[in-house]
Amino acid sequence: MTDRDEAANASPEHEGSGHCCHHGHHGAAAEAPPSGDYICACCPGVASDEPGNCPHCGMALQHVGRSEAKTQYTCPMHPEVVRDEPGSCPECGMALEPMTVTADEGRSEELLAMTRRFWASLVLSLPLLILSMGGHVGLDVAGWLQAVLATPVVVWGGAPFFARGWQSLKTRRLNMFTLIALGTGAAYAFSLLALVFPGILPDAFKAGGEVPLYFESAAMIVTLILLGQMLEIRAREQTSGALKALLDLAPPQAARVNDDGTEASVALADVQVGNRLRVRPGEKVPVDGEVLEGSTSVDESTITGEAMPVAKAAGDTVTGGTVNAEGGFIMRAERVGSDTLLARIVDLVAQAQRSRAPVQGLADRVAAVFVPAVIAVSVVAFIAWAAVGPEPALNYALVAAISVLIIACPCALGLATPMSVMVGVGRGAQEGVLIRDATSLQLLEDVDTLVCDKTGTLTQGRPRLVSVEPFGDTAEAELLGAAAAAEQGSEHPLAAAILAGARERSITPGMVTDFQAVTGQGVRATLDGRTILIGNAELLASAGVATASLEQRADGLRCQGQTVVLVAIDGAPAGLLGVADPIKATTPEALEQLHSAGIRVVMCTGDNETTARAVALELGIDEVRSGVSPEDKHELVKALQREGRTVAMAGDGVNDAPALAAADVGIAMGSGTDVALESAPVTLVKGDLRGVARARRLSAATMRNIRQNLFFAFAYNTAGVPVAAGVLYPFVGVLLSPIIAAAAMSASSICVVTNALRLRRSRLA
């Protein structure tokens, strides 16, 4: 591979164009787009400047450019469950949550409903608890009054739990709500039976000649579980705080410049591709696009994390949600709505938060047998207490059975992994590390080898002319002017670097004729009657130009990491030009962090060996593979995996896509192509390899948090179930109350959620 053959990074733009599918009121598609801001999605040609209904089919008119995608709902613990309507998860019974994150969605309906039920239940349960103690404080307690207070709590307050418990029985997918419904239902039904028909119960249930009532236990269990659910939902909503903060970066309005030069303030949802928008100093950039007029500096720290403002002029791209620091400018909208970088980031993070880590499989396997096992333990506890317990034996048996059902609810076990994944992925988004799935989040911790591309990953990806060495009597300005003139017709990245270098030196290239690009070798052209050759030694040799002296000098520049092109004028050597892709300022620090973490770094590049080794030597890279094709990169990743290594691949170009997909963890640089971004489950928004070290620290912190949660959940149930069954009674005379069991169950879930939320404060730098 020659110096000139190094592949450049392409940045294709993908602009989607929608079309309307008409279901004929008239039976034919419209011949031209309807005129008006509001159109009918069903009937062609129907349009209006105002909202309303279609006069033909009655459907509501839709605003042009506003997405009407239907919201889908999923389970926070079982992301494979997706429904078009809200409801309960058939797997675990939890309320389904919307898959789409919006900035102003407010509190969820589930949280509001649980909050209302909790406070109403608490108001009724507290006096009920006092009344149940009446026998101890000398009060004449009426069982019917307890029933009146407990019934609304159990029947209305606990209605969601009974509905989900019944659903679990119908689908034969037993879950935590199965246990809650059985426990509270048994306590309430027994108490109601004892109150209405006390004579049908055996004496083994009676204490002092009376059948005890458990209305207060049933009501307090429901109240405490409502409290746990309310706090749990509120904590889960906090995990999307990072996403909502990102969405809030986009301004609600944009200043659209009309064709006649007038301006109008429009809602962000009304901005369409191709609109011209004015952005004034201090304002936020509304959407992604290109600067048409004006120059300014833009604070992009909200997206990239880099504190220094970036200069922008006509032709430069700007990103929605960034802040215009100084001068005003006019831009053209190129990506709007869900196509903007901001929206894509939010979508990627939301998808990752719903994905499942491999470690979740352990919890799933345990949960599959846990609920049936708990029910079995509850039955055994009842039988054992009824057979050998003290009087009233059946009373003790009922308390033990209910306590086992309540304390063993596997909510903490089910939440252990999803909560940590949700918080960890959101924390990564704040640091510019976008993780698309939980599998990659888990694997990052084990990565021991990083394969990385050179151009655009270790280097800036923007070649610059750094050396101009004339030969013989040729002057430097003459050499560069002739080379720049010949390269004007070339689209090669090296040509762009040479032309930029000429402009920096105030050299204006002349006009050439007879331009010809020679594939893999360079270009030839005629300037003022003189033949110009610029390219590699093969091109010059084919024209009879002696290249030995030029090649000797070129080797010295290549050892400095420069890509060299040779120049000949009228069949004689004229000099050489050295182009280098500067190393990113953050790359040395990034590699130092990776080496400190014990990661082997392999540079894999299509550049020639001399240049590649010069860069590797400067950066202290462990291994170099040069002159490789996309297939070679893919095979290198597979070879390292066969050696037993866990491999991450970092790249930004189309040629990196196969290797990114094959790696255990693919890492795309945020400045790269769409193909690279789609091929990699991890994206570094800042395009900075220090993000790899941050991602590994995030992975380690998240997996440590998950292990803590799983240990806590397993240890809690391992200890709680035997205590609830009464194993301590023979030794200390203690039998766990169902109310205490309910409080302990809710507390375990809250502890898991609280522990997961600690990840928001993890230090990744």
Side-chain angles (χ1 to χ4, degrees):
M1 179 172 290
T2 64
D3 293 346
R4 198 174 179 87
D5 286 333
E6 181 184 359
N9 290 322
S11 299
E13 297 294 333
H14 301 286
E15 294 186 0
S17 58
H19 65 278
C20 182
C21 185
H22 304 291
H23 305 285
H25 174 77
H26 299 291
E31 295 181 358
S35 176
D37 290 336
Y38 296 85
I39 65 171
C40 177
C42 178
C43 303
V46 175
S48 172
D49 292 330
E50 301 292 337
N53 295 326
C54 174
H56 297 301
C57 66
M59 289 181 60
L61 300 180
Q62 297 180 3
H63 194 287
V64 178
R66 185 174 290 165
S67 174
E68 301 293 341
K70 187 174 183 179
T71 299
Q72 290 187 308
Y73 298 82
T74 187
C75 174
M77 288 169 55
H78 297 88
E80 70 276 9
V81 175
V82 178
R83 298 288 185 270
D84 291 332
E85 302 293 338
S88 300
C89 173
E91 295 285 344
C92 65
M94 294 185 68
L96 301 181
E97 299 178 347
M99 297 177 66
T100 304
V101 180
T102 58
D104 297 321
E105 59 184 6
R107 289 190 172 183
S108 70
E109 288 296 324
E110 176 74 1
L111 176 58
L112 294 174
M114 287 294 178
T115 302
R116 286 193 298 266
R117 293 176 191 272
F118 166 72
W119 287 112
S121 298
L122 183 64
V123 168
L124 294 172
S125 297
L126 288 178
L128 176 59
L129 186 63
I130 296 173
L131 283 173
S132 68
M133 300 169 61
H136 302 290
V137 296
L139 298 177
D140 183 16
V141 180
W144 286 102
L145 183 56
Q146 292 186 47
V148 169
L149 291 172
T151 298
V153 177
V154 176
V155 175
W156 176 75
F161 309 142
F162 288 107
R164 296 171 188 177
W166 175 244
Q167 177 70 18
S168 72
L169 293 174
K170 288 197 303 181
T171 59
R172 298 180 182 179
R173 296 174 177 176
L174 306 183
N175 54 51
M176 67 178 188
F177 294 106
T178 312
L179 303 182
I180 293 172
L182 288 175
T184 55
Y188 178 78
F190 173 82
S191 300
L192 196 60
L193 180 66
L195 181 65
V196 179
F197 305 107
I200 68 173
L201 296 176
D203 292 339
F205 273 113
K206 298 177 181 179
E210 296 183 356
V211 179
L213 303 179
Y214 297 101
F215 285 120
E216 90 286 353
S217 294
M220 286 304 299
I221 288 171
V222 169
T223 302
L224 289 169
I225 293 174
L226 284 170
L227 173 62
Q229 289 286 297
M230 182 182 70
L231 295 177
E232 178 189 313
I233 296 170
R234 184 177 296 170
R236 285 207 312 270
E237 285 197 340
Q238 294 179 23
T239 64
S240 62
L243 301 188
K244 293 180 181 179
L246 283 173
L247 288 172
D248 286 335
L249 294 177
Q253 301 283 326
R256 184 170 62 194
V257 181
N258 300 320
D259 293 339
D260 59 3
T262 61
E263 294 184 21
S265 180
V266 297
L268 191 63
D270 295 336
V271 176
Q272 300 180 35
V273 173
N275 282 168
R276 292 192 304 154
L277 308 173
R278 184 181 298 278
V279 183
R280 296 178 175 85
E283 292 183 344
K284 293 181 178 179
V285 179
V287 295
D288 298 357
E290 179 182 344
V291 177
L292 297 177
E293 303 175 17
S295 60
T296 185
S297 60
V298 176
D299 180 0
E300 297 183 337
S301 59
T302 53
I303 300 295
T304 67
E306 297 298 332
M308 292 297 294
V310 180
K312 301 289 183 181
D316 291 333
T317 59
V318 287
T319 303
T322 57
V323 180
N324 181 26
E326 295 178 355
F329 62 90
I330 294 178
M331 62 173 289
R332 179 177 60 245
E334 294 185 342
R335 293 179 184 265
V336 302
S338 60
D339 291 331
T340 64
L341 175 62
L342 204 59
R344 291 168 68 191
I345 288 175
V346 170
D347 184 58
L348 283 173
V349 176
Q351 289 181 37
Q353 289 184 333
R354 295 191 296 268
S355 62
R356 297 164 67 85
V359 71
Q360 176 70 22
L362 172 62
D364 290 343
R365 289 191 295 273
V366 172
V369 299
F370 185 76
V371 175
V374 168
I375 294 175
V377 171
S378 177
V379 172
V380 170
F382 183 90
I383 295 173
W385 277 95
V388 300
E391 295 298 329
L394 292 183
N395 183 24
Y396 281 108
L398 184 63
V399 170
I402 292 174
S403 296
V404 169
L405 291 174
I406 297 302
I407 201 171
C409 288
C411 186
L413 182 63
L415 287 171
T417 298
M419 281 300 304
S420 297
V421 169
M422 291 173 71
V423 180
V425 170
R427 179 73 181 92
Q430 292 177 318
E431 292 292 325
V433 179
L434 304 184
I435 300 176
R436 186 180 300 175
D437 60 68
T439 299
S440 297
L441 180 61
Q442 178 173 337
L443 288 175
L444 273 166
E445 180 186 34
D446 300 323
V447 167
D448 55 23
T449 303
L450 174 66
V451 178
C452 57
D453 180 40
K454 179 178 75 70
T455 306
T457 302
L458 299 172
T459 65
Q460 295 178 7
R462 296 187 296 273
R464 295 180 59 248
L465 180 66
V466 294
S467 298
V468 181
E469 295 200 6
F471 188 78
D473 296 331
T474 306
E476 180 177 316
E478 179 185 5
L479 170 64
L480 184 53
E487 292 284 21
Q488 287 182 98
S490 174
E491 297 180 354
H492 197 279
L494 294 181
I498 292 171
L499 288 167
R503 286 194 298 271
E504 291 173 2
R505 295 164 175 79
S506 301
I507 296 175
T508 303
M511 298 300 295
V512 298
T513 58
D514 301 327
F515 174 84
Q516 180 185 4
V518 182
T519 303
Q521 296 184 14
V523 300
R524 58 164 48 95
T526 301
L527 175 64
D528 297 331
R530 307 174 70 189
T531 300
I532 311 296
L533 296 176
I534 176 169
N536 57 25
E538 186 178 355
L539 175 69
L540 271 63
S542 66
V545 179
T547 61
S549 55
L550 289 177
E551 277 289 285
Q552 185 177 358
R553 295 172 61 180
D555 286 340
L557 296 180
R558 292 187 183 110
C559 290
Q560 300 173 26
Q562 298 182 31
T563 299
V564 180
V565 293
L566 313 181
V567 182
I569 300 177
D570 280 340
L576 47 83
L577 305 175
V579 175
D581 185 5
I583 293 172
K584 293 179 180 178
T586 58
T587 296
E589 180 185 350
L591 294 178
E592 182 180 349
Q593 293 177 1
L594 293 171
H595 282 138
S596 298
I599 296 178
R600 176 188 180 192
V601 180
V602 180
M603 186 176 77
C604 190
T605 177
D607 207 349
N608 67 81
E609 183 176 358
T610 304
T611 302
R613 291 200 174 278
V615 173
L617 181 63
E618 181 178 350
L619 294 175
I621 290 176
D622 303 299
E623 184 178 343
V624 181
R625 301 291 181 90
S626 59
V628 296
S629 65
E631 293 78 9
D632 294 332
K633 293 183 179 182
H634 178 273
E635 181 53 37
L636 172 61
V637 169
K638 302 300 288 185
L640 291 169
Q641 290 172 330
R642 287 193 292 269
E643 294 177 7
R645 294 184 172 274
T646 303
V647 182
M649 168 68 191
D652 71 333
V654 173
N655 60 335
D656 298 319
L660 288 170
D664 295 291
V665 181
I667 303 173
M669 312 306 284
S671 55
T673 66
D674 287 348
V675 174
L677 297 178
E678 292 298 326
S679 301
V682 178
T683 300
L684 306 182
V685 177
K686 303 175 185 179
D688 175 357
L689 271 184
R690 290 179 301 180
V692 178
R694 283 194 293 270
R696 287 191 81 253
R697 284 190 285 268
L698 174 65
S699 173
T702 303
M703 294 310 301
R704 183 168 56 249
N705 193 271
I706 288 175
R707 294 183 187 105
Q708 291 168 351
N709 283 346
L710 288 174
F711 172 80
F712 180 83
F714 282 128
Y716 163 81
N717 284 296
T718 301
V721 171
V723 171
V727 296
L728 296 181
Y729 187 85
F731 306 103
V732 295
V734 173
L735 183 62
L736 197 65
S737 163
I739 297 177
I740 302 301
M745 185 274 290
S746 296
S748 69
S749 299
I750 294 170
C751 288
V752 166
V753 171
T754 303
N755 186 52
L757 291 176
R758 291 192 307 112
L759 282 171
R760 296 186 301 174
R761 299 187 296 273
S762 297
R763 295 189 63 181
L764 304 181

